[in-house]
Amino acid sequence: MEEITFRLKGVGVSQGIAIGKAFVVQKGPVSIPYYTLWSDEAIEEECQRFEEAVRLVEEDLFGIKEGLKNDLRQYASLLDAYRLMLRDRLIYDGTLSLIREKQLNALWALSLTLSKAREIFDGQDRFADRFYDIGSVIDRLMRKLSGGQEDIFSLIRERSILVTHDLSPSDAAQLPLEKVMAFVLDIGGKTSHTAIIARSLNIPAVMATEQASKKIQTGDLLIVDGTSGQVIINPSEEDIQHYIELQLRLDTYLRDIAREASLPAVTRDGFRVVVEANIELLEEIVTAKDNGADGIGLFRTEFGFMNRDDLPTEEELYQEYKQLAELMAPGEVIIRTLDVGSDKLSAWFPPLHEPNPALGLRSVRFCLRHPEIMKIQMKAILRTGAIAGNVKMMFPLISGIGEWRAVKKILREAQEELWRFRIPFDENMPIGIMVEVPSAVAIADLLAREVDFFSIGTNDLIQYALAIDRQNEHVAHLFEALHPAILRMLHFVVREGHRAGISVSLCGEMAGEPFYVPILLGLGFDKLSMNPQSIPRVKNLIRRSSKDQCEALVKEVLRKDTAEDIRGLLMETVEKQFPEEYHFFHSGFVV
Amino acid sequence: MDNGDQKVEKEFLVTNRQGIHARVAAQIADLAQRFKSDVWITKGNRRVSAKSILDLLTLACGYGSKVIVSAEGCDAKAAVDALGSLFKKRFGES
């Protein structure tokens, strides 16, 4: 029989292509009967039935946990949490007392328990996902009580593409992952549990298709493209041919790029761009080096301060930074000073309850309020410079010259103290700032005379310049990295930095999106610093570019009126200059 | 007070990035249940039993929350110490 080809579009959350048979799992809601129990015996029987169901679910959870592979240890502990929830007095005692006192049947009683739990967790917006776990435990218990088929996944016999409405973490934990070629879900997104599992196991996944579990049937042949979010059902011979080739070529492409990752990134016309990694933990140095980082362009230091009940000492910080500098030498390490708000340091400081923390006492402002803390960190960083001479110090959120001079005054005091105690430190350590407040952009020419380098933090800069909170779904679509205002700002800062003879880097997420390479090169950035995984692809595109051509592109870009126009021009350029990169990844690119 | 009964309390900071989520609450409840004493966790003006995972979750302790662990009973000090070491090692998370 000839099958009809059709396509579904979702969000690609885990890259890669899979071609295979669908296995559809339908999980409808449990229907709840409403009746009251007429006799003491019936009540006692229903209580026993409930207790038995709890025991069985407990056994199931234990069984799932025992069968888990090591790489899913996190989920094993989630299963422990589920077992405790089952026996929690709110669920266990609560439901039993509804059966006993109100004479409700177990499923009805349990559904009331569920709404009660939901009520308690309501109004805790930030913690909505915490209720999700409770919901999924109760769901499991309801299925057990209603006697329905429950261990659906054990029916997956051969390697298939799993299609379902949604997967809870406990579902995901009991999946025979070795049999799953790809995931296609009706709901979910980039940050959902399943997306994270899929990425960590390198399984392609498409989510938010809305209707996949209704439109696809078990046994349908599917092509899943985890980059573009495209799902093709009953593909034609040509489709299959096309995707098999695409899959092979993508693998080869990424392998070749990875092989060259550790070489320097030099454009065709001989311009070297330093490509560095943003990291937060010492352990991440390994990933950074494996991906070919020339240095650490941003070391976030918040971690060393926050995971403890007391303030770290200079010596503790020094020991941490020292390892970092030694491991990365001769590559440079740029250590950014403490970048947090007072809310995160409530162990030592009373919370301020600021109505608008993004504009509040945070980052360098907080440090200026507590110079003693700032000085401890400054001294630790200065000392680290004496080891291999590869350390630089960077201050976040600088907004004006007066503020910057206040910072430098404290820095001088720190240097003098080290000097007085004859503690060796790097007297010529380069000191730079992050340019991420619009006011700093406007006076970049003035700041450039007083610092050794600029590093532009685009995440905050875009948020402050466009007045957009990216976490706010009502305005998130207005967060445009290619907004003409942003590009003008970048252009101005690079120009003023170079006029003063200092290097200019970009360390926001923008640096890690390979499609932006032509614009960033054309703007003249000396360095790009990004999440380590992006480095091989970015370096590859730099090598295939000519700086001259990129500069011409930027001239044209700066004449455009809207982000939309700029995006169009950029996509055209990428397609022309890097046909392979475009071919494999354009479908997953969102500005 | 009965012979051997103690009353102990100590303040801790939630320092793992995700705060007290289900897996962390499970660790706390599981540990607290091993003690005979009553064990509570207080945040602001709300006090809940540290032995109930759901109660712990309703306390909504995010990253950086300050909480007081308190216990009353024959093994109160041991209970607070044990829970305290869980907080200090960030529940084994980052």
Side-chain angles (χ1 to χ4, degrees):
Chain A
M1 196 181 79
E2 194 66 9
E3 304 276 2
I4 302 162
T5 302
F6 64 101
R7 288 153 200 264
L8 288 174
K9 182 89 174 99
V11 180
V13 299
S14 177
Q15 276 180 16
I17 291 157
I19 304 174
K21 291 259 169 73
F23 185 93
V24 184
V25 173
Q26 300 284 6
K27 242 171 100 176
V30 178
S31 63
I32 294 161
Y34 299 92
Y35 58 86
T36 46
L37 304 160
W38 56 96
S39 67
D40 286 350
E41 293 84 69
I43 290 174
E44 217 28 63
E45 218 167 275
E46 194 68 352
C47 286
Q48 278 171 19
R49 203 168 79 83
F50 176 76
E51 284 163 8
E52 178 65 7
V54 170
R55 213 181 49 72
L56 288 172
V57 171
E58 242 172 6
E59 254 173 35
D60 288 352
L61 291 171
F62 190 73
I64 296 166
K65 187 186 154 197
E66 291 297 292
L68 278 181
K69 286 183 277 310
N70 271 341
D71 43 349
L72 290 172
R73 254 190 7 243
Q74 266 203 26
Y75 292 91
S77 54
L78 188 60
L79 294 173
D80 286 336
Y82 285 7
R83 284 161 67 204
L84 281 163
M85 285 176 187
L86 275 175
R87 294 280 178 187
D88 195 275
R89 57 167 190 244
L90 178 73
I91 293 178
Y92 191 78
D93 303 345
T95 307
L96 280 175
S97 77
L98 281 171
I99 300 173
R100 286 214 169 91
E101 284 153 32
K102 300 253 161 82
Q103 300 168 310
L104 308 178
N105 75 73
L107 266 171
W108 187 0
L110 188 55
S111 73
L112 289 181
T113 305
L114 176 68
S115 23
K116 193 173 162 204
R118 184 174 289 138
E119 217 168 87
I120 294 172
F121 279 82
D122 240 17
Q124 293 187 13
D125 253 9
R126 275 172 62 211
F127 301 96
D129 54 328
R130 269 151 224 213
F131 179 74
Y132 183 85
D133 293 320
I134 298 161
S136 96
V137 168
I138 294 184
D139 183 61
R140 203 169 257 281
L141 193 50
M142 284 181 161
R143 276 169 207 287
K144 191 60 92 183
L145 276 169
S146 72
Q149 176 73 353
E150 188 251 352
D151 191 11
I152 20 192
F153 300 114
S154 64
L155 297 170
I156 306 181
R157 294 259 176 266
E158 46 180 358
R159 269 174 66 74
S160 340
I161 294 169
L162 182 70
V163 181
T164 186
H165 182 70
D166 185 21
L167 271 183
S168 69
S170 75
D171 291 337
Q174 63 164 317
L175 268 179
L177 286 164
E178 69 286 353
K179 289 186 185 153
V180 178
M181 301 169 70
F183 292 104
V184 177
L185 266 57
D186 292 351
I187 62 174
K190 280 210 151 94
T191 54
S192 60
H193 294 277
T194 315
I196 293 164
I197 298 183
R199 280 198 295 272
S200 69
L201 297 173
N202 254 323
I203 299 175
V206 173
M207 306 210 168
T209 57
E210 286 175 16
Q211 41 190 358
S213 72
K214 289 192 198 78
K215 297 232 161 148
I216 300 174
Q217 290 177 353
T218 296
D220 283 349
L221 185 62
L222 303 184
I223 295 175
V224 178
D225 181 346
T227 306
S228 68
Q230 173 115 250
V231 182
I232 308 178
I233 299 99
N234 300 318
S236 64
E237 277 300 316
E238 296 88 76
D239 285 333
I240 297 172
Q241 198 66 34
H242 169 77
Y243 273 97
I244 288 179
E245 271 168 36
L246 186 66
Q247 196 176 16
L248 272 173
R249 279 168 36 220
L250 177 61
D251 288 348
T252 320
Y253 180 71
L254 291 175
R255 212 175 316 123
D256 289 349
I257 286 175
R259 206 171 290 140
E260 295 187 334
S262 56
L263 302 174
V266 181
T267 62
R268 296 205 316 262
D269 45 356
F271 180 76
R272 163 95 194 258
V273 181
V274 178
V275 181
E276 302 182 316
N278 298 343
I279 65 169
E280 176 163 25
L281 303 171
L282 203 53
E283 302 89 270
E284 287 178 280
I285 279 249
V286 183
T287 327
K289 283 183 137 177
D290 283 350
N291 282 290
D294 298 324
I296 301 301
L298 169 60
F299 179 68
R300 305 184 176 98
T301 57
E302 291 68 59
F303 209 75
F305 281 82
M306 290 189 299
N307 302 289
R308 48 191 302 148
D309 324 316
D310 51 355
L311 274 167
T313 62
E314 178 191 319
E315 191 58 30
E316 281 173 300
L317 293 178
Y318 171 67
Q319 289 303 332
E320 184 192 355
Y321 302 161
K322 180 176 157 218
Q323 286 186 59
L324 181 72
E326 282 169 349
L327 287 168
M328 204 58 217
E332 70 172 12
V333 174
I334 300 180
I335 302 179
R336 181 182 69 186
T337 60
L338 195 55
D339 188 22
V340 282
S342 56
D343 52 325
K344 298 284 167 58
L345 296 173
S346 49
W348 319 307
F349 304 100
L352 296 174
H353 303 296
E354 298 171 300
N356 198 343
L359 306 179
L361 187 69
R362 52 173 285 226
S363 195
V364 78
R365 304 163 184 178
F366 174 85
C367 290
L368 283 168
R369 177 73 62 87
H370 300 281
E372 67 290 352
I373 298 178
M374 195 185 212
K375 221 186 272 176
I376 289 173
Q377 191 179 25
M378 283 172 166
K379 287 200 269 187
I381 299 172
L382 286 167
R383 288 172 59 193
T384 313
I387 300 162
N390 61 338
V391 176
K392 301 179 180 180
M393 192 174 343
M394 177 162 78
F395 292 88
L397 212 75
I398 296 294
S399 62
I401 295 282
E403 186 179 49
W404 177 236
R405 290 186 182 151
V407 171
K408 284 207 293 192
K409 182 166 169 279
I410 297 171
L411 182 63
R412 265 197 308 279
E413 287 169 16
Q415 287 168 325
E416 276 159 18
E417 283 171 31
L418 289 173
W419 188 251
R420 206 176 317 133
F421 291 99
R422 307 277 159 97
I423 299 168
F425 69 97
D426 182 359
E427 291 172 43
N428 301 311
M429 177 177 290
I431 309 294
I433 61 168
M434 285 193 69
V435 178
E436 53 188 338
V437 184
S439 63
V441 172
I443 55 162
D445 52 330
L446 305 178
L447 284 166
R449 291 184 214 147
E450 305 208 9
V451 303
D452 297 317
F453 62 91
F454 280 157
S455 188
I456 304 185
T458 39
N459 302 2
D460 270 346
L461 181 60
I462 298 172
Q463 150 161 314
Y464 291 137
L466 302 181
I468 295 299
D469 173 2
R470 196 161 39 153
Q471 309 303 325
N472 179 340
E473 56 174 313
H474 305 294
V475 292
H477 63 284
L478 295 171
F479 188 94
E480 295 173 322
L482 293 178
H483 192 296
I486 300 300
L487 296 179
R488 282 186 192 194
M489 287 179 158
L490 300 184
H491 178 69
F492 180 72
V493 174
V494 175
R495 195 185 69 195
E496 294 307 320
H498 286 172
R499 261 189 196 158
I502 63 173
S503 92
V504 185
S505 161
L506 193 152
C507 68
E509 274 165 40
M510 220 180 155
E513 170 48 62
F515 277 40
Y516 290 137
V517 161
I519 288 185
L520 301 182
L521 266 180
L523 285 167
F525 282 99
D526 305 287
K527 298 178 190 175
L528 301 175
S529 193
M530 62 201 69
N531 69 73
Q533 288 77 15
S534 294
I535 292 175
R537 274 172 68 202
V538 168
K539 275 189 159 182
N540 173 56
L541 295 196
I542 292 172
R543 290 191 196 105
R544 278 154 212 272
S545 306
S546 122
K547 183 146 191 274
D548 269 356
Q549 279 177 16
C550 293
E551 279 169 0
L553 170 74
V554 164
K555 265 202 190 113
E556 205 178 327
V557 158
L558 290 173
R559 282 196 294 267
K560 299 272 182 209
D561 306 329
T562 66
E564 199 43 48
D565 291 350
I566 295 170
R567 180 190 152 93
L569 181 58
L570 177 63
M571 292 299 267
E572 228 172 79
T573 309
V574 172
E575 183 176 12
K576 206 163 69 197
Q577 293 193 358
F578 322 116
E580 279 187 299
E581 180 76 20
Y582 181 82
H583 181 65
F584 292 130
F585 297 107
H586 76 277
S587 52
F589 175 67
V590 265
V591 176
Chain B
M1 204 191 283
D2 279 344
N3 196 19
D5 258 18
Q6 314 160 316
K7 214 171 161 180
V8 184
E9 67 170 55
K10 210 171 164 192
E11 193 174 274
F12 295 98
L13 191 67
V14 177
T15 53
N16 63 317
R17 291 280 159 123
Q18 295 183 51
I20 298 190
H21 57 80
R23 278 178 279 123
V24 168
Q27 289 185 42
I28 297 174
D30 188 33
L31 188 60
Q33 286 175 12
R34 295 181 202 173
F35 294 93
K36 291 198 191 72
S37 302
D38 288 324
V39 190
W40 299 282
I41 297 209
T42 309
K43 182 189 150 205
N45 49 19
R46 274 203 64 211
R47 187 177 88 160
V48 302
S49 164
K51 296 184 178 181
S52 159
I53 180 169
L54 293 191
D55 280 5
L56 286 168
L57 286 173
T58 58
L59 208 52
C61 295
Y63 180 45
S65 313
K66 210 191 305 184
V67 300
I68 293 165
V69 177
S70 53
E72 193 173 345
C74 58
D75 50 5
K77 188 178 177 311
V80 172
D81 286 348
L83 257 64
S85 70
L86 260 188
F87 276 87
K88 280 189 188 144
K89 65 172 208 219
R90 279 186 268 133
F91 315 103
E93 301 192 340
S94 57

